[in-house]
Amino acid sequence: MPAIQASMDNAVMTTNNLPRSTPEAQGVSSSAILAFIESVNRDIKYLHSFMLLRHGQVIAEGWWSPYQRDAQHMLFSLSKSFTSTAIGFAVQEGLLSINDAVLSFFPDDAPAEPSENLQAMKIRHILSMSGGQDVDTTERTVTQPDGNWARGFLSAPVPYAPGTHFVYNSAATYMASAILQKVTGQTLLDYLTPRLFAPLGIEGAWWESDPRGINVGGWGLNITTNDIAKFGQFYLQKGVWQGKRLLAEAWVNEATAFQVDNASSTNAANGSDWEQGYGYQFWRCQHNAYRGDGAFGQYCIVMPDQDAVIAITSGVDDMQAVLNKIWEHLLPAMQSAPLAEDPAAHSALQATMQALAIAPVVGPKTSTIAGELNGKIYRMESNPAHITSLHFDVRADAIALAFSHANGEYVLPLGLGKWIEGELNLFASSGRWNLRQLPCAGSAAWTSESTLSAIVMLTKAPFAPQLTCTFNGDAVQLDLAFDRFLGPAPELHMRGACN
């Protein structure tokens, strides 16, 4: 039996585990994948995970330590594609039509005199980000004092005729979630679990909710990279999983097709994968591909012409740069027939994938004052994090920062020359993000005799807070800043002194 046919037969799985194969057996050279990984490691910081599927088979996968295979990751706006999928199931079950008016679901939350454009807004328009708004209304929506996000969304001006103007608007996706909950009596997560998550073997998914218990839809879903890959393969297979149709092929085709023009000019072929058109919560890509994506580089890329899926989580500032690497290295490497096995190249690729890691903080493991810190308790001045005291446990290979907080005490371990797992618990829930009790991995070094510098990787998120402790006699200053954030990045500057 030809290798490619055998691989396709094996892709009809009897379990929910994705089958594995060598790259060459699926028509991709190991050396090309290795070149992609080396290029990413050289030019982009930081990818957290990568999975490449060809003909339904996983041919390369890796996680950059301290990120781990089994850990869930914040998807941000990649969540939108799952919300769209839920609407597809509801359409399939006759619960709603994408031509239903949005206002019809919220009679008690509508403005007293809704505009003609608001009255004309349909579900298809909020799915395609063409609801008629001229700005993203998310901040307006989520800051309603009474927690009624739907009313906040509907109160925003709608200056354009729906369907004529693209504006990326996460609040529009929230409205799709709210509509789904209206017609089903279930949250997005509860509705999708028996229809999508359970059949695909996606377990433990969770989704953030608004103050009224509605899953936020436009962001907030947390699943693993393997789950993202399954979702992409489900779409590549046009809504079929393990030989069983779950979602209508017509919906898959419609949701991933060009529904609205999102180019900034008449020239859409300008190398930007954000100007190739937009579907129902899916972006069109160059090379006839499409994707769901989320802030800081969370990707589910489906390449129908190549019969391939790519799942990536990351913490990057330039999302186009990651796609450019895919088009440069992986796209041309996908051949129509199996290649001769290349054990040396495959072995090199495997070794590289198994050794992927984000480097810990580089620098001396000790300083002249390090040994003096044990036993000292620094009483902190009033600060936004409500930290009342700070003390250190200094060892040869690690330093633990112990914080006394209004709600108790917690410890943040920092490895010296390595990562140590722990938990960051400096922030309360605020606005759209919950930064309490997030698992992390910390690393530190002495960047001067009196300065301890640390990076804390939030291992379920793309954020990497940077901590700096500066000592001056019996005084300490603790500074914390984020390298990236949505909206103004929180910074904390705290001072304390020993009694």
Side-chain angles (χ1 to χ4, degrees):
M1 178 182 294
I4 190 166
Q5 182 61 51
S7 72
M8 292 299 289
D9 290 346
N10 290 338
V12 180
M13 297 166 283
T14 58
T15 72
N16 278 315
N17 293 320
L18 293 166
R20 267 63 181 173
S21 177
T22 65
E24 281 74 18
Q26 308 307 322
V28 185
S29 70
S30 294
S31 58
I33 302 173
L34 181 58
F36 167 79
I37 295 297
E38 291 174 341
S39 180
V40 164
N41 283 340
R42 182 181 64 248
D43 300 332
I44 295 176
K45 297 181 178 178
Y46 297 102
L47 260 58
H48 299 159
S49 66
F50 167 76
M51 291 183 69
L52 172 59
L53 282 65
R54 187 95 197 278
H55 305 319
Q57 309 269 331
V58 178
I59 61 173
E61 57 188 322
W63 284 258
W64 279 255
S65 175
Y67 291 85
Q68 299 177 7
R69 175 186 298 271
D70 296 330
Q72 293 181 334
H73 202 285
M74 290 182 178
L75 298 195
F76 295 91
S77 287
L78 176 49
S79 307
K80 291 178 170 67
S81 301
F82 290 82
T83 303
S84 169
T85 303
I87 296 295
F89 279 113
V91 169
Q92 181 171 284
E93 294 169 9
L95 299 176
L96 53 78
S97 164
I98 59 172
N99 291 315
D100 289 340
V102 172
L103 268 181
S104 68
F105 297 94
F106 305 95
D108 297 333
D109 300 318
E113 297 182 3
S115 67
E116 289 186 11
N117 285 342
L118 178 57
Q119 294 179 64
M121 186 190 300
K122 299 177 180 179
I123 294 175
R124 68 163 59 248
H125 299 133
I126 59 175
L127 289 177
S128 60
M129 298 297 184
S130 61
Q133 297 94 345
D134 58 349
V135 296
D136 183 344
T137 63
T138 303
E139 193 65 24
R140 178 190 190 117
T141 299
V142 304
T143 55
Q144 293 301 301
D146 62 355
N148 189 332
W149 288 13
R151 183 175 298 164
F153 177 87
L154 296 172
S155 71
V158 186
Y160 296 98
T164 65
H165 187 73
F166 175 87
V167 169
Y168 192 75
N169 187 353
S170 293
T173 319
Y174 164 79
M175 294 299 287
S177 174
I179 289 170
L180 184 85
Q181 190 155 332
K182 286 270 190 180
V183 301
T184 67
Q186 295 179 291
T187 65
L188 262 176
L189 183 57
D190 288 342
Y191 181 74
L192 277 177
T193 294
R195 293 163 176 82
L196 179 71
F197 292 153
L200 270 59
I202 297 175
E203 300 177 345
W206 67 276
W207 213 316
E208 294 180 38
S209 298
D210 79 349
R212 298 192 299 165
I214 300 169
N215 291 155
V216 296
W219 65 95
L221 179 59
N222 293 251
I223 57 176
T224 67
T225 312
N226 191 63
D227 297 334
I228 298 170
K230 289 178 180 179
F231 181 67
Q233 187 64 31
F234 170 72
Y235 263 82
L236 183 63
Q237 294 169 181
K238 303 286 189 179
V240 172
W241 193 254
Q242 295 184 348
K244 180 180 179 181
R245 176 158 299 285
L246 303 180
L247 185 60
E249 181 175 353
W251 176 264
V252 172
N253 291 338
E254 187 174 353
T256 60
F258 186 114
Q259 294 294 339
V260 64
D261 188 355
N262 63 353
S264 57
S265 68
T266 56
N267 178 22
N270 60 1
S272 169
D273 284 288
W274 277 262
E275 298 193 3
Q276 305 299 317
Y278 195 77
Y280 296 157
Q281 309 289 289
F282 286 90
W283 296 89
R284 295 295 305 173
C285 298
Q286 300 176 81
H287 312 294
N288 195 38
Y290 61 87
R291 73 187 186 282
D293 72 31
F296 310 115
Q298 324 317 316
Y299 301 91
C300 179
I301 304 165
V302 181
M303 305 167 67
D305 293 350
Q306 290 74 32
D307 195 25
V309 170
I310 297 173
I312 291 174
T313 61
S314 58
V316 301
D317 296 316
D318 185 352
M319 292 178 63
Q320 182 66 58
V322 178
L323 295 172
N324 289 344
K325 296 291 186 183
I326 292 170
W327 309 145
E328 177 184 359
H329 294 283
L330 300 180
L331 176 67
M334 297 181 186
Q335 304 301 310
S336 58
L339 306 176
E341 293 295 335
D342 189 341
H346 188 225
S347 177
L349 174 62
Q350 287 184 307
T352 296
M353 300 303 284
Q354 292 169 4
L356 293 173
I358 298 172
V361 180
V362 177
K365 296 183 179 181
T366 190
S367 79
T368 54
I369 69 167
E372 302 172 6
L373 298 179
N374 286 330
K376 285 187 175 181
I377 299 178
Y378 294 89
R379 306 297 177 184
M380 306 304 289
E381 299 174 1
S382 178
N383 58 80
H386 306 292
I387 294 173
T388 56
S389 68
L390 173 66
H391 66 271
F392 298 82
D393 181 6
V394 180
R395 303 181 183 181
D397 63 348
I399 296 179
L401 277 64
F403 300 89
S404 292
H405 189 276
N407 297 326
E409 183 171 291
Y410 60 98
V411 177
L412 178 64
L414 302 169
L416 295 169
K418 62 181 181 179
W419 297 103
I420 295 183
E421 293 183 1
E423 185 176 272
L424 185 66
N425 194 359
L426 287 178
F427 300 93
S429 296
S430 176
R432 281 194 267 168
W433 316 115
N434 183 351
L435 296 181
R436 290 185 64 84
Q437 298 181 330
L438 284 177
C440 67
S443 175
W446 289 92
T447 50
S448 78
E449 289 299 315
S450 59
T451 303
L452 179 70
S453 298
I455 295 178
V456 182
M457 291 282 179
L458 303 186
T459 50
K460 291 188 177 182
F463 304 133
Q466 300 175 9
L467 285 78
T468 304
C469 295
T470 305
F471 302 92
N472 184 7
D474 287 334
V476 65
Q477 177 163 323
L478 172 62
D479 299 315
L480 183 147
F482 279 77
D483 59 343
R484 60 183 64 86
F485 209 68
L486 287 176
E491 293 187 7
L492 293 176
H493 305 283
M494 295 167 276
R495 294 181 175 84
C498 295
N499 292 338

